[in-house]
Amino acid sequence: MSSGRFAIATHALALLAQAQVDESCASDALSASINTNPAFLRRILARLSQAGIIEAREGRAGGYRLARPASAIRLSDVYAAVEPDGAIAPSPCEPNAKCPIGAGIRRAFDEVAEAANAGLLRGLSEKTVADIALRAQRLGRPAPPRAG
C-alpha cells in the first residue's frame, strides 16, 4: 500500500532543485509548499539524508539542500529511500500451512511483488528530480492569454 512518502519526498526535492547551489531551505518553508506537518516532513527528509540524497544543516542558517545535482538524482533512488518495503506488501495474515494454497501463497506472492517492485523501480530510474521539477514548474505556470 502506498504511503504518500514518495510523493512528498519528490515535492520537497523539486523545491530544493530550484534553490541556489549554496542555499538551504528550512523544513517550515518546504512543508508550507507541500502543505504537510513539518515534523512528518522532517522524518522523510531524514531518510533522504541517510540515503545521501540531501544534506541537512543545523542552526539559524540551517536547512536542507541537495547533496548532488538534481539531474543526478534518479526517482528510483528517492523511492528506495522513503519506501524501502516497496509498493506491494505481503499479507499480514499467517496462511494455513495445511491448505494447499496457504502452504505456498507467501512464496508465490513474493515472486509477484518482487517483479512488480522491480518494474516500478525500472520506470522510476528513467526520470530524475530535475525532470520532475522542470515539468512541475511548466505545469504550474498559467498559460499566456490568447490573442484574439
Side-chain angles (χ1 to χ4, degrees), residues 56-124:
R57 290 187 177 171
E58 294 185 25
R60 198 176 236 168
Y64 300 90
R65 68 180 192 174
L66 298 179
R68 56 186 188 264
S71 60
I73 302 171
R74 301 237 162 251
L75 294 184
S76 54
D77 297 332
V78 176
Y79 187 85
V82 298
E83 298 286 1
D85 296 329
I88 300 176
S91 170
C93 302
E94 184 64 41
N96 181 345
K98 295 178 183 175
C99 169
I101 296 296
I105 193 66
R106 284 217 165 153
R107 286 187 308 234
F109 186 83
D110 286 348
E111 292 169 2
V112 170
E114 188 177 309
N117 288 326
L120 173 66
L121 290 173
R122 258 192 317 277
L124 291 174

Side-chain angles (χ1 to χ4, degrees), residues 12-84:
L13 292 170
L15 289 167
L16 294 176
Q18 300 305 304
Q20 299 298 320
V21 173
D22 291 333
E23 187 180 28
S24 294
C25 287
S27 60
D28 289 345
L30 295 170
S31 67
S33 175
I34 298 167
N35 201 20
T36 192
N37 180 295
F40 177 68
L41 177 61
R42 281 191 290 273
R43 287 194 296 273
I44 293 171
L45 295 172
R47 289 181 180 204
L48 295 172
S49 180
Q50 290 166 353
I53 295 171
I54 63 171
E55 296 173 345
R57 290 187 177 171
E58 294 185 25
R60 198 176 236 168
Y64 300 90
R65 68 180 192 174
L66 298 179
R68 56 186 188 264
S71 60
I73 302 171
R74 301 237 162 251
L75 294 184
S76 54
D77 297 332
V78 176
Y79 187 85
V82 298
E83 298 286 1

